[in-house]
Structures are given as structure tokens and as C-alpha cells.
Amino acid sequence: MPSSYADLALYNRAGRLIAIVEVKNKSGTSPEWATKFRRNILVHEGYPQADFFLLVTPDQLYIWKKVSSNTPSLVQPTY
């Protein structure tokens, strides 16, 4: 795993990583902000491949489903 770790990592019963979760104490976010934040994390820190990437803020939850973490491009949240 990279030198920086996610706030939460969720594994299935077989031990496979299924979700990476980042938690930020920032209110008033937008999907555009979340998109840029995710891309910056992937460019500078990288994460292993997972089915889901979640970004949690006090007033929003952003979810990316089955988006490659190996390609740090500007991808809008799925949900």
C-alpha cells in the first residue's frame, strides 16, 4: 500500500479490499470539488484497486463505483 493510508478500508469475508473511504471535515462541498479531491489523492498518494471509493463530508456522501483507481482522471461521483 502507498505511504499514505485511507481513513477506512472495507474488506469482504475473503479478505479482498472492496471499498476505500476518505472522511473530511469540510462543509459546503460540491460534486466538482469531490471530483477534483479524488483525482488529487490518486495522483499524489494512489490507492490499491477497490470496487468503491467513498468520500464522506459532514453534509454529503460521494460514491464512485467500479472506477479504476489506477487512472487518476476527473471522474464525477456515481452517486
Side-chain angles (χ1 to χ4, degrees), residues 13-66:
R13 291 180 190 226
R16 188 175 72 80
L17 180 64
I18 58 169
I20 296 169
V21 183
E22 280 290 330
V23 180
K24 296 297 167 206
N25 187 21
K26 179 172 175 62
S27 297
T29 62
S30 67
E32 292 77 22
W33 175 86
T35 299
K36 290 176 185 175
F37 183 86
R38 177 190 164 273
R39 182 195 167 275
N40 288 342
I41 283 181
L42 296 177
V43 165
H44 297 290
E45 300 176 23
Y47 282 125
Q49 186 65 39
D51 292 341
F52 297 93
F53 181 89
L54 288 77
L55 178 56
V56 180
T57 66
D59 54 356
Q60 295 289 330
L61 169 64
Y62 302 98
I63 303 172
W64 287 262
K65 181 179 179 184
K66 299 199 183 214

